[in-house]
């Protein structure tokens, strides 16, 4: 394991905290984030909040990552104050990241505390070995979340966890293990059946949990709960390489099932096609540049074309529930596609290529657009109340807005 970035934060956050980083090549990363959150009782006593606990919601490249199967908003946060009661929890993310810019965003409720963010490169080809250097052993407490491990889109061959628990005078150490939300039971049914590592039985000795997995899952979750002060020795995830996904091209644009597999030219061309297929060429150019203008704005938008387009809730063609989505996932072969549509697709790709390369100069400050007179009033009032109208091209209205 080789450190790429390490950030000592050690601060309370009251607004979204963004940690941006860049990679030069495809990298299997292990991301470690340590933070703490207080319960509503702790906040009430300190007059920080009235019956509200601290929470932190975790995003990687604008994709929200949860460590709980609970559907309630607070309960599915990565750090939940009512469960942690002011103590530290470690969240790990194992993920393959592509070259370019990436971001980790921590969105708080109330006043949680963020300690560190560490990003490491996994150098071994067949396994990911995590040996905790911090938040270990667990701080003394009754059963609460201690560590969550999110493994994203990897082929997992096996899982091995080594931990140690001891028998204490008043209450022994214990560790509970959940895999994808399911408790792994202790084989000693008389001693804390739901706590796989039981100090009363182990008396200070290591115990290994081992499981053959041999499958590829979009997201694989491991959760450890601590009681008293157990110690984690290591977590080892066996992996094997996954065949490289096909990269869509202008002549073969069928998506892979994940827009993140597109090049920036490809995803920008899809957006232009979805938003301005039947519009004049000028409108297509303005749509493209409105995306790039967002990446350059001193605002909350991401800093890359792909991240802007994939930002949740921003563009209709990217939403699976939208009818146009069926067209942008395969612009040359969808129900009802005609020769004019195919010509338009190649023009959209050409514009995307020339805008990104700078061959087509920026003609606008636009950051937003809406199609159709019927949508204009609602858009101006509810979406961009502080916006400025710039120009109508075809049936599309273009605006600048700070939000």
């Amino acid at each position: 394991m080789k450190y790429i970035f390490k950030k000592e934060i050690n601060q309370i956050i009251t607004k979204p905290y963004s940690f941006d980083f860049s990679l030069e090549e495809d990298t299997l990363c292990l991301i470690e984030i340590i933070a703490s959150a207080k319960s509503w009782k702790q906040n009430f006593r300190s007059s920080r909040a009235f019956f509200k606990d601290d929470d932190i919601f975790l995003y990687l490249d604008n994709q929200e990552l949860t460590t709980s199967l609970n559907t309630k908003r607070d309960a599915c946060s990565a750090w939940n104050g009512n469960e942690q009661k002011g103590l530290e929890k470690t969240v790990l993310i194992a993920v393959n990241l592509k070259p370019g810019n990436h971001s980790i965003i921590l969105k708080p409720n109330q006043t949680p505390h963020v300690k560190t963010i560490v990003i490491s490169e996994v150098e071994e080809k067949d396994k990911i070995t995590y040996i905790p250097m911090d938040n270990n052993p667990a701080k003394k407490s009754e059963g609460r979340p201690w560590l969550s491990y999110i493994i994203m889109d990897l082929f997992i061959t096996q899982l091995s966890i080594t931990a140690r628990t001891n028998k204490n005078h008043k209450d022994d150490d214990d560790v509970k293990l959940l895999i994808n939300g399911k408790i792994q039971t202790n084989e000693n049914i008389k001693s804390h059946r739901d706590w796989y590592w039981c100090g009363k039985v182990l008396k200070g000795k290591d115990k290994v949990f081992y499981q053959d997995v041999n499958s590829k899952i979009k997201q694989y979750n491991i959760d450890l709960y601590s009681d008293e002060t157990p110690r984690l020795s290591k977590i080892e995830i066996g992996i094997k390489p996954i065949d490289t996904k096909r990269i869509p091209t202008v002549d073969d644009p069928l998506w892979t099932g994940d827009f993140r597999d597109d090049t920036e030219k490809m995803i920008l061309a899809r957006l232009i096609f979805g938003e301005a297929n039947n519009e004049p060429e000028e409108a297509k150019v303005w749509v493209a540049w409105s995306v790039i203008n967002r990446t350059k704005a001193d605002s909350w938008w991401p800093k890359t074309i792909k991240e802007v387009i994939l930002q949740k809730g921003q563009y209709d063609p990217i939403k699976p529930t939208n009818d146009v989505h069926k067209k942008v996932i395969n612009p040359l072969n969808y129900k009802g596609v005609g020769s004019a549509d195919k010509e338009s697709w190649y023009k959209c790709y050409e514009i995307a290529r020339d805008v990104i390369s700078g061959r087509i100069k920026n003609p606008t400050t636009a950051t937003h657009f809406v199609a159709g007179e019927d949508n204009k009033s609602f858009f101006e009032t509810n979406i961009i109340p502080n916006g400025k109208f710039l120009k109508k091209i075809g049936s599309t209205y273009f605006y600048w807005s700070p939000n």
Side-chain angles (χ1 to χ4, degrees), residues 332-346:
L332 292 178
N333 187 20
Y334 59 85
K335 186 176 181 180
V337 64
S339 58
D341 298 308
K342 293 180 180 180
E343 288 179 18
S344 175
W345 163 247
Y346 284 104

Side-chain angles (χ1 to χ4, degrees), residues 18 64 73 78-79 112 131 135-136 152 179 251 285 313 334 376 396:
S18 179
E64 184 174 4
R73 182 63 178 160
W79 288 266
I131 300 175
N135 191 22
N136 189 38
M152 301 181 65
I179 298 177
D251 296 316
V285 171
Y334 59 85
K376 180 173 178 289
T396 304

Side-chain angles (χ1 to χ4, degrees), residues 349-363:
Y349 186 86
E350 178 186 312
I351 289 170
R353 181 196 64 201
D354 290 348
V355 164
I356 290 174
S357 71
R359 192 175 301 165
I360 296 178
K361 302 302 181 184
N362 191 349

Side-chain angles (χ1 to χ4, degrees), residues 154-158 180 212-217 220 238 240:
L154 297 175
F155 193 107
I156 304 170
T157 58
Q158 60 192 32
N180 295 325
D212 286 319
V213 181
N214 288 317
S215 68
K216 179 179 178 292
I217 303 172
Y220 189 89
K240 72 176 184 180

Side-chain angles (χ1 to χ4, degrees), residues 304-321:
T304 69
I305 292 170
K306 189 176 293 188
E307 289 169 351
V308 165
I309 292 173
L310 294 181
Q311 194 167 21
K312 189 174 181 180
Q314 292 301 300
Y315 296 103
D316 287 342
I318 306 302
K319 301 173 185 175
T321 55

Side-chain angles (χ1 to χ4, degrees), residues 69-317:
L69 299 179
N70 199 310
T71 56
K72 292 183 178 179
R73 182 63 178 160
D74 283 358
C76 75
S77 57
W79 288 266
N80 182 291
N82 283 336
E83 294 182 325
Q84 288 178 241
K85 299 178 175 61
L87 298 175
E88 292 176 355
K89 176 186 173 184
T90 301
V91 173
L92 303 170
I93 309 164
V95 60
N96 271 312
L97 293 177
K98 295 184 177 181
N101 298 321
H102 300 276
S103 64
I104 297 167
I105 299 176
L106 305 174
K107 294 186 179 180
N109 277 342
Q110 310 311 319
T111 55
H113 182 271
V114 180
K115 186 176 183 180
T116 56
I117 297 177
V118 178
I119 303 174
S120 302
E121 178 184 356
V122 179
E123 296 181 290
E124 296 177 282
K125 302 300 182 184
D126 62 346
K127 62 184 175 182
I128 306 170
T129 302
Y130 172 71
I131 300 175
M133 305 301 292
D134 203 349
N135 191 22
N136 189 38
K139 292 183 180 178
K140 185 178 176 64
S141 66
E142 295 184 358
R144 53 92 183 184
W146 177 28
L147 181 145
S148 290
Y149 199 150
I150 304 168
I151 302 149
M152 301 181 65
D153 209 22
L154 297 175
F155 193 107
I156 304 170
T157 58
Q158 60 192 32
L159 166 64
S160 173
I161 305 173
T162 306
R164 180 181 304 174
T165 55
N166 212 338
K167 179 177 172 61
N168 301 321
H169 292 298
K170 293 184 179 180
D171 188 12
D172 50 293
D173 303 330
D174 300 298
V175 179
K176 181 186 293 185
L177 170 63
L178 286 79
I179 298 177
N180 295 325
K182 183 179 179 180
I183 295 173
Q184 306 302 302
T185 56
N186 185 345
E187 63 272 16
N188 190 325
I189 61 174
K190 294 183 179 179
S191 298
H192 301 70
R193 182 168 176 78
D194 285 346
W195 297 79
Y196 190 83
W197 288 267
C198 174
K200 180 180 177 181
V201 176
L202 297 177
K203 299 178 182 177
K205 296 180 181 178
D206 279 347
K207 180 181 178 181
V208 179
F209 172 88
Y210 179 88
Q211 185 177 81
D212 286 319
V213 181
N214 288 317
S215 68
K216 179 179 178 292
I217 303 172
K218 192 72 176 173
Q219 182 172 321
Y220 189 89
N221 282 58
I222 301 166
D223 294 284
L224 296 178
Y225 285 66
S226 71
D227 188 68
E228 292 299 299
T229 57
R231 179 178 288 275
L232 175 64
S233 299
K234 68 177 179 179
I235 302 177
E236 197 166 86
I237 310 291
I239 58 172
K240 72 176 184 180
I242 302 171
D243 293 337
T244 303
K245 289 183 177 179
R246 178 183 60 85
I247 299 175
T249 66
V250 62
D251 296 316
D252 182 18
L254 175 65
W255 77 325
T256 65
D258 186 348
F259 286 122
R260 295 187 184 279
D261 294 327
D262 283 350
T263 63
E264 291 213 316
K265 288 193 292 287
M266 177 60 66
I267 196 167
L268 183 58
R270 290 189 199 276
L271 183 72
I272 300 167
F273 185 76
E275 297 283 8
N277 176 22
N278 298 315
E279 293 289 86
E281 182 174 335
E282 184 184 13
K284 292 178 171 68
V285 171
W286 276 52
V287 166
W289 272 108
S290 72
V291 172
I292 295 178
N293 287 341
R294 288 191 179 191
T295 70
K296 299 180 182 300
D298 184 16
S299 186
W300 60 283
W301 289 306
K303 300 305 179 186
T304 69
I305 292 170
K306 189 176 293 188
E307 289 169 351
V308 165
I309 292 173
L310 294 181
Q311 194 167 21
K312 189 174 181 180
Q314 292 301 300
Y315 296 103
D316 287 342

